[in-house]
Amino acid sequence: MPKRCDNKSVGILVWKDGALLMIERKKYNFGFAIPAGHQDGDDPETTAKKELSEEVGLTAKELREELKITLPNPCKRERGTHHDWTVIEATEWSGAITPSADETKNYLWADKEKIAQWARQLEEFVKAENLSLDFENLSQIVKATNEDLSWQERPGLEPPMYFIFKNLGLI
């Protein structure tokens, strides 16, 4: 039986020396994003700690909620039509980065210019697909990036992250 989407996701901001920890997803949704995952019945703080450990091997010690936003981004799970996002900053964390072999293709510490470059890459992709980078088109944009092999080989910012980062003032 396929997993059912609870439509609740948590993203985790981890900063070091002015750079944000970003991962390149190995599978759906292709692109660069902060560590994130479904709540699956847990509260946002428990999910943040679990996902940070699972995706990059770090331990979150102190957390602070930064944003709540509902995005119309679909997922592969049954009933995954949208996500109520909670974005949490790990204000204190420890450990060495150990990327998940299943979920994480790559990781890096990205400054604001690198994040802006990935955002521009997504903007250019959306324009080339004759879409508009509007909130209402997010499901179409996600579909297009996940079906395009060149995007998968050289992705930019994962589409839901674009809107999250806009709301956080990162782009």
Side-chain angles (χ1 to χ4, degrees), residues 3 9-12 22-40 47-57 77 85 97-108 146 152 155 158:
K3 276 190 171 180
S9 290
V10 175
I12 307 97
M22 298 288 290
I23 63 170
E24 180 181 357
R25 296 209 183 282
K26 201 176 241 185
K27 49 191 174 183
Y28 188 99
N29 284 335
F30 295 102
F32 286 93
I34 56 177
H38 289 91
Q39 285 186 222
D40 291 329
T47 302
K49 289 178 180 181
K50 179 180 73 174
E51 291 296 331
L52 193 60
S53 176
E54 284 177 7
E55 291 189 3
V56 292
R77 292 181 176 188
W85 281 89
I97 295 180
T98 309
S100 163
D102 292 335
E103 299 181 45
T104 307
K105 185 175 181 182
N106 193 9
Y107 78 91
L108 60 98
N146 279 297
Q152 292 176 30
E158 178 189 283

Side-chain angles (χ1 to χ4, degrees), residues 54-141:
E54 284 177 7
E55 291 189 3
V56 292
L58 297 179
T59 301
K61 295 181 176 183
E62 295 289 328
L63 300 169
R64 179 179 63 228
E65 185 178 300
E66 293 293 327
L67 177 69
K68 281 193 173 284
I69 186 171
T70 299
L71 294 177
N73 64 299
C75 74
K76 290 179 101 172
R77 292 181 176 188
E78 184 181 312
R79 296 188 182 190
T81 58
H82 71 283
H83 288 91
D84 297 322
W85 281 89
T86 302
V87 179
I88 294 177
E89 181 177 350
T91 57
E92 191 177 324
W93 53 272
S94 64
I97 295 180
T98 309
S100 163
D102 292 335
E103 299 181 45
T104 307
K105 185 175 181 182
N106 193 9
Y107 78 91
L108 60 98
W109 295 96
D111 61 17
K112 278 194 164 190
E113 180 50 40
K114 185 64 177 173
I115 294 168
Q117 177 186 339
W118 287 329
R120 286 190 300 275
Q121 190 174 338
L122 178 63
E123 291 165 353
E124 291 166 9
F125 176 86
V126 168
K127 185 176 180 182
E129 292 290 312
N130 293 315
L131 296 169
S132 60
L133 196 53
D134 295 325
F135 185 79
E136 298 80 26
N137 293 329
L138 185 54
S139 63
Q140 291 176 300
I141 297 165

Side-chain angles (χ1 to χ4, degrees), residues 142-162:
V142 167
K143 183 178 188 301
T145 56
N146 279 297
E147 292 177 351
D148 188 275
L149 293 178
S150 64
W151 179 266
Q152 292 176 30
E153 291 171 8
R154 195 175 159 275
L157 196 60
E158 178 189 283
M161 291 298 124
Y162 184 89

Side-chain angles (χ1 to χ4, degrees), residues 36 72 92 164 168:
E92 191 177 324
I164 288 171
L168 289 169

